Amino acid sequence: AERARERRNRILTVTLSAAIVAALGGWGAYAIDAANEREEQKAAAAEKPVRGEKTWDAKKLGRNHVATAVTYPMQPPVGGDHHQAWMTCDGTVYTQAIANENAVHSLEHGAVWVTYNDRAADADVKALADRVDRTPYTLMSPVRTQAGTITLSAWGRQLTVEKASDARVEQFLLKYVQGAQTPEPGAACTGGLTAS
């Protein structure tokens, strides 16, 4: 009886071990496949222009650190001289306005800044906040003075939309989060300011 129990335990242990290894292997393959698919989406988005986006010559946007307020020619700004401290942009959602000069520094690091005004529907603000919250190198805040309802800004690039469901929102994020326009790719988006 003792030998039979040991044999059953051994068979059970081997069976469970094989099932765990198979599950881990399947999960690993899924994770690799999902990562590859995300990279393919990013590459496809990078090749296509975003319909309706505005662009500025990145070489003409100043990149000096200044300690004073900056008057930007566009609202919200897409680049230019900025403060030394960046806004934390690790999928950070700010419910109050933040300083342009700190947000611009985040753009220099490759972040996309999602902004909205009072015309944005609550459901759109929530959908955008959920998307930003799970996307490193993004930040979101209200900008009551902007002309468009929802604006996405990257260094030298900007898109205005009326609804969060506009397919160009996802395209803009895929293309410009740490995209080719980034002056300082890989620079930190953590450890910055968390309030203006």
Side-chain angles (χ1 to χ4, degrees):
E2 184 67 30
R3 289 182 124 194
R5 188 175 13 180
E6 283 179 16
R7 186 166 187 244
R8 260 194 322 271
N9 286 344
R10 231 177 321 177
I11 290 171
L12 185 59
T13 300
V14 168
T15 303
L16 279 173
S17 297
I20 290 169
V21 167
L24 288 173
W27 181 85
Y30 168 78
I32 289 170
D33 188 46
N36 287 341
E37 184 175 328
R38 187 76 173 161
E39 285 304 311
E40 288 171 11
Q41 287 176 334
K42 190 167 177 70
E47 291 183 21
K48 290 184 194 173
V50 179
R51 182 178 46 81
E53 92 176 9
K54 295 178 184 173
T55 61
W56 287 263
D57 185 347
K59 292 179 179 138
K60 292 182 180 176
L61 296 172
R63 292 186 49 212
N64 298 311
H65 288 174
V66 297
T68 57
V70 177
T71 302
Y72 294 100
M74 72 294 288
Q75 182 67 319
V78 297
D81 293 345
H82 51 269
H83 286 182
Q84 184 169 349
W86 60 89
M87 292 304 297
T88 296
C89 45
D90 192 33
T92 313
V93 177
Y94 298 95
T95 56
Q96 301 295 318
I98 59 177
N100 286 336
E101 293 82 4
N102 303 110
V104 168
H105 196 156
S106 300
L107 300 183
E108 185 181 40
H109 289 194
V112 168
W113 183 18
V114 179
T115 56
Y116 58 95
N117 64 21
D118 293 336
R119 292 191 313 270
D122 290 344
D124 285 331
V125 173
K126 182 178 181 340
L128 290 166
D130 290 346
R131 178 63 170 93
V132 166
D133 184 56
R134 58 180 200 272
T135 309
Y137 285 94
T138 61
L139 67 162
M140 179 174 164
S141 71
V143 175
R144 303 210 181 327
T145 57
Q146 71 183 30
T149 304
I150 298 166
T151 302
L152 289 85
S153 302
W155 191 269
R157 306 283 190 267
Q158 193 167 77
L159 175 69
T160 298
V161 297
E162 293 299 314
K163 297 276 186 196
S165 58
D166 190 311
R168 295 174 297 164
V169 170
E170 186 66 17
Q171 183 187 4
F172 194 94
L173 289 166
L174 284 170
K175 185 169 186 169
Y176 293 122
V177 168
Q178 283 285 286
Q181 84 294 340
T182 303
E184 296 181 4
C189 242
T190 57
L193 297 178
T194 55
S196 295

